[in-house]
Amino acid sequence: MIRKMKTFWNSLDETTIVSKRELFLEIVAVALTGLVLGMIFTPKKTVTIGSNNSGNGCNCGNSGCDGCEDCGDEDEEA
C-alpha cells in the first residue's frame, strides 16, 4: 500500500496539458461541491424577516382591513 502511494505521489510531478474547457468544468464542479457541502454542514438557524404582524395593527387576518371594528362586517358582506 505504501509503495502504491509513493508511485502515485511521484507520478504527480509529470507535466500534462489540460484544455480550457476541462479546467473550467473542474472549477465549476469544485465550486458547486463547496456550495452543497456548505449548505449541508452549516448549523440550522431560524431567521425571521419582518415582525410577523398581520398588518395595519389589526389581527383579524383581512388584508384590506382598515381597523379592527369593521373586521366582522367585511367577512359577512363577502
Side-chain angles (χ1 to χ4, degrees):
M1 184 72 178
I2 300 289
R3 193 174 295 157
K4 287 182 182 180
M5 288 174 53
K6 284 184 181 181
T7 57
F8 173 71
W9 187 258
N10 290 334
S11 70
L12 294 177
D13 291 333
E14 296 175 8
T15 304
T16 57
I17 299 174
V18 178
S19 67
K20 289 181 182 180
R21 181 180 294 170
E22 186 178 352
L23 181 63
F24 174 75
L25 291 175
E26 287 176 1
I27 291 171
V28 169
V30 169
L32 291 177
T33 302
L35 281 172
V36 170
L37 290 176
M39 285 187 237
I40 291 173
F41 290 115
T42 54
K44 300 240 186 228
K45 298 175 184 172
T46 55
V47 176
T48 303
I49 299 175
S51 62
N52 289 332
N53 291 337
S54 64
N56 296 333
C58 180
N59 292 326
C60 65
N62 288 337
S63 61
C65 179
D66 291 334
C68 290
E69 301 92 27
D70 299 330
C71 287
D73 295 338
E74 289 182 10
D75 287 337
E76 291 173 5
E77 291 175 3

